């Protein structure tokens, strides 16, 4: 097999697992959004999700202070807005207004859901032991919402450097993994 060496800086593009999400946070009545693709499932129930949030982001400060957020999962029709939220900072602008997204109050946390996203996971920070070293927050999902009208959500997946994939064909196999 002809293999070529891959720059270590490109490894993440092969392993980027789940969909790109929008993380919403809020403090003192002001909500913010950031685009996030470095996340991983850690437990089935209660669902635990690990997320890397860089301390260079405004969202880092909000998440650290409030210990609450919402993971919103967008579909491909929102791709431009999703990238926009990843290229701007809530320290300077109100992203809900600038990108025309609609905040909806959550049931259990102070951060809002995004109405346009087909799934919304209300989260509380469960573990901060790796925040100082990696910006890695362990989040517990305390409430989850799904838009019944969206049957096969075409989620967005990050490949790096402005390249994205959208979810496509599904296959069903016998698997022992629940
Ligand atoms: C596709 C994409 C994925 C991103 N994934 C992450 C991520 O996993 N963690 C992170 O800290 N920043 C990530 N970012 C960068 C933040 O979204 C970006 O720094 C944003 O401006 C932060 O906004 P804020 O300052 O309002 O919090 C990503 C950006 C894009 C476009």
């Amino acid at each position: 097999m002809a293999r070529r060496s891959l720059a270590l800086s490109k490894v993440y593009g092969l392993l980027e697992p789940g969909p790109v999400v929008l993380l919403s946070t809020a403090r003192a009545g002001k909500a913010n959004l950031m685009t996030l693709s470095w996340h991983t499932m850690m437990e089935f129930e209660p669902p635990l999700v690990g997320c890397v949030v860089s301390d260079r982001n405004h969202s880092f400060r909000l998440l650290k202070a409030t210990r609450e957020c919402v993971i919103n999962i967008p579909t491909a029709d929102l791709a431009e807005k999703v990238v926009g939220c990843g290229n701007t900072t809530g320290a300077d602008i109100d992203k809900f207004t600038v990108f025309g997204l609609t905040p909806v109050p959550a049931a259990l946390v102070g951060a809002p859901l995004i109405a346009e996203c087909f799934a919304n996971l209300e989260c509380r920070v469960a573990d901060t032991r790796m925040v100082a070293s990696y910006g890695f927050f362990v989040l517990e999902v305390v409430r989850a919402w799904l838009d019944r009208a969206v049957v096969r959500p075409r989620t967005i997946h990050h490949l790096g450097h402005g390249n994205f994939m959208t979810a496509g064909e599904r296959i069903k196999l016998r698997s022992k993994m629940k």
Side-chain angles (χ1 to χ4, degrees):
M1 188 190 289
R3 294 186 190 275
R4 69 178 172 89
S5 173
L6 179 70
L8 296 182
S9 62
K10 295 194 170 158
V11 166
Y12 79 95
L14 295 175
L15 287 177
E16 281 261 355
V20 177
V21 303
L22 287 169
L23 190 86
S24 48
T25 43
R27 187 165 57 171
K30 274 186 73 179
N32 189 38
L33 293 171
M34 74 168 267
T35 307
L36 183 137
S37 54
W38 286 13
H39 57 77
T40 181
M41 283 309 304
M42 298 177 70
E43 182 53 278
F44 286 110
E45 212 175 330
L48 294 180
V49 184
C51 289
V52 175
V53 179
S54 161
D55 63 5
R56 292 185 296 273
N57 294 329
H58 186 55
S59 302
F60 177 91
R61 291 184 280 284
L62 299 185
L63 183 58
K64 199 162 172 233
T66 63
R67 299 179 68 98
E68 291 181 343
C69 64
V70 178
I71 296 173
N72 302 275
I73 312 182
T75 38
D77 50 306
L78 297 174
E80 299 274 350
K81 294 173 194 259
V82 169
V83 174
C85 288
N87 289 341
T88 51
T89 178
D92 299 334
I93 60 165
D94 175 347
K95 296 193 205 180
F96 278 96
T97 305
V98 169
F99 296 107
L101 295 166
T102 316
V104 176
L108 299 178
V109 303
L113 318 181
I114 304 173
E116 289 78 7
C117 290
F118 80 94
N120 317 88
L121 312 176
E122 299 184 23
C123 300
R124 291 205 182 101
V125 173
D127 192 331
T128 56
R129 278 174 291 182
M130 284 202 279
V131 170
S133 44
Y134 297 106
F136 189 81
F137 290 83
V138 179
L139 306 174
E140 178 179 337
V141 181
V142 292
R143 195 75 183 257
W145 304 97
L146 210 51
D147 182 346
R148 289 165 186 266
V150 181
V151 182
R152 292 223 161 165
R154 211 156 63 88
T155 47
I156 311 161
H157 302 259
H158 188 218
L159 302 174
H161 305 283
N163 296 298
F164 296 87
M165 231 168 26
T166 56
E169 187 192 352
R170 286 188 186 199
I171 57 171
K172 174 107 178 126
L173 303 168
R174 269 142 83 92
S175 163
K176 287 190 176 165
M177 177 72 175
K178 71 171 172 176

